[in-house]
Amino acid sequence: MTEGVQRRQAAAGKPYDVFHTDCPARDVVDHVTSRWGIWVLISLRGNSLRFYELRESIQGISEKMLAQTLRTLVQDGLVWREVEPTTPPQVTYGLTEFGRDVGEPLTELFDRITRRLSRHSAG
């Protein structure tokens, strides 16, 4: 899947102005940094997961919110979705190249915070 935001930028031929309300990159940033978007990206950092595995890995998220968040991240080109035609269907999610690229600094931030908190509580 090609990242839609990057395609629009190439067609326009000019850089994004993320401070402008009409900037498509701003929507992606909002989705990534939403309450649940960041946790989905961090949960998928190592491998692809089925819907129920994602739900179990992110405590506190409802099925409805997970479905909405995944739908948005798939539309943004950050997450891929694969449906196996079984009964019931098995749906697997993973990070696209764009999702891995965006998720890397989020994972680093998460790791820095947890390391700092571990040192702080130990000392």
Side-chain angles (χ1 to χ4, degrees):
M1 173 183 278
T2 305
E3 288 74 50
V5 172
Q6 292 176 342
R7 198 177 322 122
R8 283 194 294 265
Q9 180 183 16
K14 59 182 179 180
Y16 286 122
D17 179 5
V18 294
F19 295 103
H20 194 276
T21 57
D22 292 339
C23 178
R26 187 173 179 160
D27 288 337
V28 175
V29 170
D30 286 344
H31 299 155
V32 166
T33 60
S34 70
R35 177 172 182 189
W36 300 112
I38 192 168
W39 299 117
V40 168
L41 293 176
I42 289 173
S43 292
L44 291 172
R45 69 183 168 203
N47 53 341
S48 58
L49 296 171
R50 291 197 174 137
F51 184 87
Y52 76 90
E53 293 171 321
L54 261 172
R55 191 182 69 229
E56 289 176 4
S57 74
I58 306 171
Q59 292 187 359
I61 192 169
S62 68
E63 274 191 37
K64 179 182 176 183
M65 282 310 305
L66 179 57
Q68 285 178 331
T69 302
L70 285 166
R71 191 176 310 114
T72 302
L73 295 175
V74 167
Q75 289 172 349
D76 289 341
L78 296 160
V79 172
W80 55 261
R81 178 181 189 264
E82 180 179 275
V83 180
E84 295 178 42
T86 58
T87 305
Q90 294 181 353
V91 184
T92 305
Y93 295 89
L95 294 179
T96 63
E97 182 181 339
F98 183 36
R100 286 189 302 274
D101 192 37
V102 169
E104 188 177 321
L106 298 175
T107 299
E108 186 178 317
L109 174 65
F110 176 77
D111 290 345
R112 283 180 184 211
I113 291 169
T114 55
R115 278 194 311 269
R116 178 66 182 240
L117 290 174
S118 295
R119 282 197 309 251
H120 186 70
S121 63

